[in-house]
Amino acid sequence: MYTFLSGLYKHLTRREAYYIVIIGLDNAGKTTLLERIKSIFLGVPGLPPERIAPTVGLNIGRIDIGGARINFQDLGGQTDLQSIWERYYRECHAIVFVVDSSDPERIEECKNALEKVIMDDTVEGVPVLMLANKQDMPTALRLEQIKEIFNQIAERLGARDSRVLPISALEGTGVKEAVDWLFLRVQRNKANRPPIIISQ
Ligand SMILES: Nc1nc2c(ncn2[C@@H]2O[C@H](COP(=O)(O)OP(=O)(O)O)[C@@H](O)[C@H]2O)c(=O)[nH]1
Ligand SMILES: [Mg+2]
């Protein structure tokens, strides 16, 4: 009886968990994005911008959406696969690459960093979402300009899902749409990268 009940309980409480890494150059807005996601989906106020310190190590955000759990992992400034972060890439279900649209001088550096990560076999087939952040700034590169730059890479992404979306992590615009895109894509890519089954 106990076994049956505990089995039933496990069955009823089981859910799919997905891991999504957030990467990009330092100062792109990764931690601000993570705090914004938490505040939108958990209904808690995120950290005020002045309290977001440069990231040392890992920031984690966990949200529940559509009966599943999504764990966001902000890997700090790290976009190097040959590092202690390799495990996070190997196990992730999607990659979010945050771009500071207000910093055109570093766009080339951005491109190289993204290329370095997504061309690695470790993340083959994993959906990639590029976020043109800081769209609230008047000087920001427009979405079309960012797309033009990153489409050159997207062509080499093969059959995997990829997209460029405009956001302002600071103001929250576009963030929900970005998470919705990700949720749909990790589910669609299940056969290639199955979710982790958790029970709670
Ligand atoms: N105007 C504007 N500033 C932003 C936005 N997102 C982040 N920032 C600012 O950019 C700086 C770096 O943000 P942070 O999240 O620490 O970047 P990280 O190094 O990628 O984690 C901070 O001063 C943020 O307030 C945005 O959407 N708009
Ligand atoms: Mg950070």
Side-chain angles (χ1 to χ4, degrees), residues 31 53-55 59 74:
T31 309
T55 308
N59 286 321
D74 161 16

Side-chain angles (χ1 to χ4, degrees), residues 24-33 49 52-55 74 133-137 167-171:
L25 304 183
D26 56 283
N27 203 51
K30 300 177 294 297
T31 309
T32 306
L33 171 66
I52 295 178
T55 308
D74 161 16
N133 190 29
K134 307 198 186 181
Q135 287 294 313
D136 58 283
M137 290 182 75
I167 63 158
S168 165
L170 196 66
E171 295 183 344

Side-chain angles (χ1 to χ4, degrees), residues 19-22 34 58-61 71-75 88:
Y19 289 82
I20 297 179
V21 294
I22 302 177
L34 184 71
L58 178 70
N59 286 321
I60 293 178
N71 300 280
F72 288 95
Q73 301 168 318
D74 161 16
L75 301 192
Y88 293 92

Side-chain angles (χ1 to χ4, degrees), residues 78-158:
Q78 186 56 256
T79 51
D80 187 357
L81 266 166
Q82 305 309 316
S83 71
I84 54 161
W85 297 119
E86 193 181 334
R87 181 170 73 86
Y88 293 92
Y89 288 107
R90 205 168 47 234
E91 292 171 2
C92 76
H93 297 92
I95 294 172
V96 175
F97 190 88
V98 184
V99 179
D100 180 349
S101 316
S102 73
D103 195 357
E105 283 172 14
R106 291 185 80 190
I107 284 289
E108 199 58 33
E109 193 185 337
C110 264
K111 222 174 98 178
N112 295 338
L114 175 64
E115 213 158 18
K116 201 163 142 196
V117 170
I118 62 179
M119 292 307 159
D120 197 285
D121 289 346
T122 318
V123 292
E124 197 185 347
V126 169
V128 179
L129 178 60
M130 286 155 268
L131 292 178
N133 190 29
K134 307 198 186 181
Q135 287 294 313
D136 58 283
M137 290 182 75
T139 54
L141 290 172
R142 283 172 296 109
L143 181 69
E144 289 68 30
Q145 295 172 291
I146 305 259
K147 267 189 180 164
E148 213 165 283
I149 295 157
F150 287 98
N151 276 348
Q152 299 160 18
I153 301 179
E155 279 169 19
R156 293 164 55 190
L157 282 174

